[in-house]
Amino acid sequence: MSLDVDVDHRRGNFHLQARFTAAPGLTALFGRSGSGKTSLVSIVGGLIRPDRGRVSVDGQTLVDTGSGVFVKPHKRRIGYVFQDSRLFPHLSVRRNLLYGRWFARGSGGATADLGAVVELLGIGPLLERNPESLSGGEKQRVAIGRALLARPRLVLMDEPLASLDESRRAEILPYIERLRDEAGVPILYVSHSVAEVARLATTVVIMAEGKVMAVGPVQDILPLADANDGGAVLDATVSRHDETFHLSVLQSVAGELQVPRLNAAVGAPVRAYIRARDVMLSLKPPEDISALNVLAGRIASITATGGAQADIRLDCNGAVLMARLTAKSVDRLALAPGRPVYAVVKSVSFERS
Amino acid sequence: MTAEEWTAVRLSLLIATTATIFSLPLGIAIAWLLARGRFWGKSVLDTLVHLPLIMPPVVTGYLLLLSFGRRGPIGSFLADEFGIVFSFRWTGAALACAVMGFPLMVRAIRLSIEAVDQRLEAAAGTLGANRLWVFATITLPLCLPGILAGAILAFAKSMGEFGATITFVSNIPGETQTLPTLIYALTQVPGGDAAAMRLTLVSIAISMLALLGSELLAKRIGARRQTA
């Protein structure tokens, strides 16, 4: 799959000018509200007609204002999961799920099977219910299933978790991960949550004020993502569980990490998100401290943020780690690029993955 | 009740039912255009639809006579080409009733179409449904209660229509004499009071039954939505 977007769209004072190419897997459009993320997916989905530009999927041109091409939304075969699930209130969950199947017939692509999708999303017990009786999390799972069963070649998700509370979010995230890994449908995912992007994304597109600021693999891009809440993504595998203290031990290139017991099998790949503000630096191996995780590394760069703070980029055996310290500490420890340091990370600061 | 009275009741029901059924598709189409359409002359169409509501019924009936009568431009065309005659026939009474009930029907349906969440229609579009399918599977089922209300209003209006009917098709027993026109005729003759009273009660009963029926139907639609 390939999605190529290059558009220019004005709405009042807002000017969207974006160009990016999405790779297979999950591509996250990340940015604050008002940065143009939703406008961009609406253009891809065909709900907004851009002033100028091109959109193409798998080589098929969906929009080209130059030659007057505009494929209507119902002919694009692009699934759309909205923030408000938009289930049809007069149809049962089953009939909601099957709605797109009438139209998907004969359009090629893998046969999306109701049984498989129901199993993937865990919505079997809901089939005969009516949408109004579902919880927010259940509604979103049904909405995802409905989009999948229309046999899309691309699924757009516009902040699908934004209207849900923390526990409901945790309930859906694993299903989106399964979707990314098992269903093989590329996803364009809009979010302003670093935690969601860190956990789900393969590729990140950072947007600000209608423009694409950066595009790349999540590990490289996320440290730049948010000035207020910077951090780094660390890929790891579960090496064992410590049942006595309810901990899981993860193995990553940067070293061993101990995190609260994960609900994942030994050997399973997980992704840890480490916030810059949760990392302390020490020049010597620290002893007698409460934090469990100490990673050895080398300072790659120091960026002064202008105020009292500085962002330190660490190279831990090839993995990137971010630390946010006061400028005073940087001065006191005489930190400089190339200097070996020890990063102290509090266990609790790991995003469960 | 006399045979003449029964005939009037039967004719009234036939005329009101025919008027409602035949105006419903056009009513839905016009209501959709007024609710969702963006076109030049929309306010003109809106005014035209509402005209029978604000004009004196006699004027509407007279205009119908001028245009749909045997010598009228539309009436003569329909009679010559298709053999459809409206003037002084029960079909003419149905036409008069349909025209008089049309604004009420369109108003009710239009409001219910405007109340349908357009975001649901957009969602159906992304699932592959074209505009016609979206209308048939999302918009129409969701505004069914409004369509029902519009149909009942038009039916009730038709059962009571007097001015336009009597002007356009007169008051011919067995052909165009409906409940209201017969009641009117009875009040004009000495000793007709008892019969007029009987028909008044029949008229009230039919109105109440129609209302009750629509309530039951609306409840069933609501119940189906709950269990669906």
Side-chain angles (χ1 to χ4, degrees), chain A residues 47 73-74 78-80 82 84 86-92 99-100 102-103 128-130 132 146-147 150, chain B residues 117-131 133-134 137-138 141-142 224-228:
Chain A
L47 303 183
H74 70 270
I78 292 180
Y80 210 133
F82 301 89
D84 47 338
R86 303 198 190 179
L87 299 180
F88 306 131
H90 59 298
L91 301 177
S92 66
Y99 188 83
W102 300 351
F103 315 107
E128 306 312 324
R129 300 254 298 269
N130 104 51
E132 271 145 60
R146 185 178 68 173
Chain B
D117 190 346
Q118 280 181 271
R119 293 173 309 169
L120 293 176
E121 296 173 351
T126 66
L127 292 167
N130 63 26
R131 279 177 83 171
W133 270 109
V134 171
T137 59
I138 306 296
L142 286 176
R224 208 187 60 199
R225 194 155 294 169
Q226 284 306 304
T227 57

Side-chain angles (χ1 to χ4, degrees), chain A residues 44-158:
Chain A
V44 175
L47 303 183
I48 295 180
R49 200 187 279 249
D51 295 341
R52 263 200 316 281
R54 281 174 48 87
V55 176
S56 65
V57 174
D58 286 335
Q60 192 206 342
T61 304
L62 298 180
V63 180
D64 186 352
T65 51
S67 57
V69 174
F70 182 83
V71 177
K72 290 195 173 125
H74 70 270
K75 288 189 174 152
R76 292 194 177 194
R77 290 185 47 227
I78 292 180
Y80 210 133
V81 179
F82 301 89
Q83 187 175 331
D84 47 338
S85 53
R86 303 198 190 179
L87 299 180
F88 306 131
H90 59 298
L91 301 177
S92 66
V93 167
R94 179 193 295 276
R95 288 171 69 191
N96 262 283
L97 286 169
L98 292 178
Y99 188 83
R101 266 232 306 222
W102 300 351
F103 315 107
R105 237 177 275 143
S107 56
T111 307
D113 174 37
L114 178 67
V117 169
V118 163
E119 198 271 327
L120 178 77
L121 295 165
I123 48 181
L126 311 177
L127 284 178
E128 306 312 324
R129 300 254 298 269
N130 104 51
E132 271 145 60
S133 71
L134 303 182
S135 72
E138 289 168 339
K139 276 183 190 163
Q140 278 314 55
R141 269 147 67 197
V142 174
I144 292 169
R146 185 178 68 173
L148 277 183
L149 281 163
R151 289 204 224 151
R153 47 188 172 182
L154 169 69
V155 173
L156 309 175
M157 295 193 183
D158 187 1

Side-chain angles (χ1 to χ4, degrees), chain A residues 18 47 64 93 103 122 153 157 161 215 222 227 246 265 273 320 323 331 336:
Chain A
L47 303 183
D64 186 352
V93 167
F103 315 107
R153 47 188 172 182
M157 295 193 183
L161 310 182
V215 187
L222 209 57
H246 304 285
Y273 177 66
V320 173
D331 185 60

Side-chain angles (χ1 to χ4, degrees), chain B residues 91-172:
Chain B
T91 47
L95 177 65
C97 289
V99 169
M100 292 304 289
F102 203 63
L104 300 170
M105 175 185 272
V106 168
R107 233 183 144 71
I109 299 174
R110 176 187 179 170
L111 284 175
S112 71
I113 290 177
E114 280 169 350
V116 170
D117 190 346
Q118 280 181 271
R119 293 173 309 169
L120 293 176
E121 296 173 351
T126 66
L127 292 167
N130 63 26
R131 279 177 83 171
L132 205 65
W133 270 109
V134 171
F135 178 75
T137 59
I138 306 296
T139 319
L140 208 57
L142 286 176
C143 64
L144 212 54
I147 292 174
L148 192 68
I152 292 296
L153 274 173
F155 182 83
K157 175 74 191 166
S158 300
M159 286 301 292
E161 217 300 307
F162 177 79
T165 307
I166 207 163
T167 313
F168 182 29
V169 293
S170 185
N171 192 0
I172 306 161

Side-chain angles (χ1 to χ4, degrees), chain A residues 182-194:
Chain A
E182 293 173 26
V185 184
I187 302 168
L188 189 60
Y189 187 99
V190 170
S191 180
H192 62 250
S193 153
V194 177

Side-chain angles (χ1 to χ4, degrees), chain B residues 205-219:
Chain B
I206 291 174
S207 305
M208 287 182 72
L209 277 175
L211 203 65
L212 213 68
S214 78
E215 292 277 322
L216 283 175
L217 219 60
K219 261 202 196 112

